[in-house]
Amino acid sequence: MPPVRISRRAELLLPGAGNTRLVISGRMSDVCAELDRLAALEARQGNGRG
């Protein structure tokens, strides 16, 4: 079994951009590492929300 499993699901109920749900499952340390990786990628791309 892979350490981390990532699923992306489009939310069809709400039209517009940014309506994708991300489901990450696996060992807590692997999930946290993946969240850190995604946060760094988002910061580099300048897509922060705050």
Side-chain angles (χ1 to χ4, degrees), residues 6 9-10 12-13 18 23 25-29 32 38 40 43 49:
I6 301 171
R9 298 180 184 164
L12 301 177
L13 299 176
V23 179
S25 62
R27 295 183 312 208
M28 184 62 73
S29 60
C32 290
L38 291 171
R49 294 184 181 190

Side-chain angles (χ1 to χ4, degrees), residues 1-6 24-34:
M1 181 172 178
V4 176
R5 181 177 175 164
I6 301 171
I24 304 174
S25 62
R27 295 183 312 208
M28 184 62 73
S29 60
D30 294 331
V31 169
C32 290
E34 181 62 15

Side-chain angles (χ1 to χ4, degrees), residues 8-23:
R8 294 179 191 264
R9 298 180 184 164
E11 294 292 320
L12 301 177
L13 299 176
L14 302 171
N19 294 324
T20 301
R21 181 170 292 183
L22 184 66
V23 179

